[in-house]
Amino acid sequence: MLPLTISGLASSLPEEVVSSTSLEAELNLPAGWIEQRTGIRERRRATRQSVLDLAEPAARLALNRAQRDESDLGLVVGASTGRHQFIPCTAALLQRRMGLPEGRAFAFDVDATCLSFLVGLRVAAQWVAASGTAESGRPTGSALLFSSEMSQHSLNPREPESYVLIGDGAAAAVLEHQPGNGSGMHGAWFTTHASGSEYTCFLGGGTHHHPNNPSTTREMNLFHMNGPAVFKMALKLVPDFMRRVFSEVGWKPHEVDAVVPHQASAPGVDLLVSRCGLHRDQIVSNLATRGNCIAASIPIALSEAVESGRIRRGDRVLLCGTGAGLSLGAVALTF
């Protein structure tokens, strides 16, 4: 087990609540269509905030809960799909926004779409473990990991199945090396099945369909997802992947205290119960009131579960999900 303590967690949500009823009226959908298909009653939307505006309060509160200040950080990792701007990385911009000491922390971003927080957790955990602790017992390389998403300008109203899924929000975690307290990472597993790469995509924004290329259309700059194809592929792949995770970590499914999945949709969350040997009361889900917050989905749900007491120190916790690629990921922790 890699010693790793999540010593502070916090989330930040936009104030504007968008109900499924209002979206049904906007998109001319039948009453109840959204909740019946997705399980979502409402979600938050950031209409006047940037990803930095969402990330900063979550990061400051996570530091406060960890009883650390900005000078304790040796690493800042942004783990989001939506960047604040193309360069520099969003982590560097948050470092400046928060007034972190110049030259003290290294900042960079990772992007694995909905699995970005899990990939960032895996990368940061190794970094923190290598940093160790000072003679005083104080961690010498605390890390700040954050995911922040806003989708206002990226969703396509012509694709209602994805348009109604997405919510906005941010979450942050402070990671530390605290050997001896029982907390740690037991393992992390990631795999990609690129035959599903066209099912979830954003064609614009890169060099292939550059924003300055006159042949780039507005549609290319909008999110596209073939939900039924993604679910069909996940239905085939997820059960075997989860069996591998449980086998390699040495846990039985019933021995897990909490499973925090990517809040993709109600059918996606239900897949863990129907095909993976888990029980409903093991699953942490805030999908009904948060929607699918992309990379921020897992850490927001984790933060809220810890804040409510649903997850406590010493609990066995499994974070898992799928992302564009089609990619699968899981991280097993003793919280």
Side-chain angles (χ1 to χ4, degrees), residues 10-13 49-62 76-80 84 90-91 93-95 97-98 144-149 169-173:
S11 60
S12 173
L13 299 170
Q49 295 163 293
S50 69
V51 292
L52 289 178
D53 294 330
L54 293 173
E56 183 182 4
R60 292 194 184 279
L61 184 54
V76 181
V77 181
S80 307
H84 184 73
T90 307
L93 297 173
L94 182 65
Q95 183 187 52
R97 171 75 71 91
M98 294 178 66
L144 174 67
L145 172 65
F146 71 93
S147 297
S148 184
E149 302 281 15

Side-chain angles (χ1 to χ4, degrees), residues 20-331:
S20 291
T21 301
S22 67
L23 285 183
E24 286 162 353
E26 176 187 338
L27 300 174
N28 197 28
L29 297 172
W33 187 91
I34 295 175
E35 187 171 358
Q36 181 180 5
R37 285 176 174 248
T38 69
I40 302 170
R41 296 193 303 272
E42 63 184 42
R43 76 286 293 140
R44 303 293 182 97
R45 288 276 170 86
T47 55
R48 296 178 298 276
Q49 295 163 293
S50 69
V51 292
L52 289 178
D53 294 330
L54 293 173
E56 183 182 4
R60 292 194 184 279
L61 184 54
L63 280 167
N64 181 266
R65 288 175 173 172
Q67 299 183 335
R68 296 286 180 258
D69 59 42
E70 291 85 349
S71 63
D72 290 316
L73 295 175
L75 184 68
V76 181
V77 181
S80 307
T81 299
R83 305 170 70 96
H84 184 73
Q85 61 193 53
F86 200 72
I87 57 173
C89 62
T90 307
L93 297 173
L94 182 65
Q95 183 187 52
R96 183 177 67 177
R97 171 75 71 91
M98 294 178 66
L100 303 186
E102 288 285 313
R104 174 69 179 89
F106 178 54
F108 64 91
D109 288 353
V110 297
D111 178 9
T113 62
C114 300
L115 296 175
S116 296
F117 184 82
L118 299 192
V119 173
L121 188 62
R122 178 66 182 89
V123 172
Q126 199 71 45
W127 188 294
V128 167
S131 299
T133 55
E135 290 183 6
S136 64
R138 192 177 182 85
T140 59
S142 298
L144 174 67
L145 172 65
F146 71 93
S147 297
S148 184
E149 302 281 15
M150 60 164 291
S151 58
Q152 181 70 18
H153 304 296
S154 303
L155 300 177
N156 190 346
R158 296 182 181 179
E159 297 186 4
E161 288 201 355
S162 60
Y163 187 86
V164 304
L165 276 178
I166 308 300
D168 298 341
V174 176
L175 313 175
E176 298 182 338
H177 180 72
Q178 295 181 358
N181 70 353
S183 295
M185 178 184 290
H186 296 272
W189 299 263
F190 299 97
T191 184
T192 296
H193 300 263
S195 58
S197 59
E198 294 182 355
Y199 297 153
T200 308
C201 60
F202 206 123
L203 296 178
T207 58
H208 186 46
H209 297 291
H210 195 279
N212 294 334
N213 188 327
S215 67
T216 299
T217 66
R218 183 178 183 275
E219 291 284 319
M220 292 175 182
N221 292 323
L222 298 176
F223 175 68
H224 166 72
M225 182 173 69
N226 183 338
V230 171
F231 182 74
K232 183 178 179 180
M233 194 168 184
L235 194 65
K236 178 181 178 181
L237 297 173
V238 168
D240 284 343
F241 177 77
M242 293 297 288
R243 278 191 286 270
R244 172 193 163 197
V245 169
F246 283 120
S247 174
E248 293 188 10
V249 77
W251 295 351
K252 303 293 185 184
H254 70 271
E255 294 175 332
V256 181
D257 296 296
V259 178
V260 185
H262 169 47
Q263 311 291 307
S265 65
V269 174
D270 289 344
L271 174 60
L272 294 170
V273 176
S274 63
R275 299 293 183 95
C276 299
L278 294 163
H279 298 287
R280 180 74 56 183
D281 58 4
Q282 292 174 281
I283 309 297
V284 173
S285 179
N286 60 1
L287 180 70
T289 57
R290 301 290 181 255
N292 177 340
C293 293
I294 320 173
S297 167
I298 291 175
I300 289 174
L302 177 64
S303 175
E304 292 179 344
V306 171
E307 188 172 356
S308 70
R310 169 66 182 83
I311 293 176
R312 302 174 183 176
R313 285 290 169 209
D315 280 356
R316 287 182 171 183
V317 178
L318 185 66
L319 313 177
C320 59
T322 60
L326 178 80
S327 296
L328 290 77
V331 173

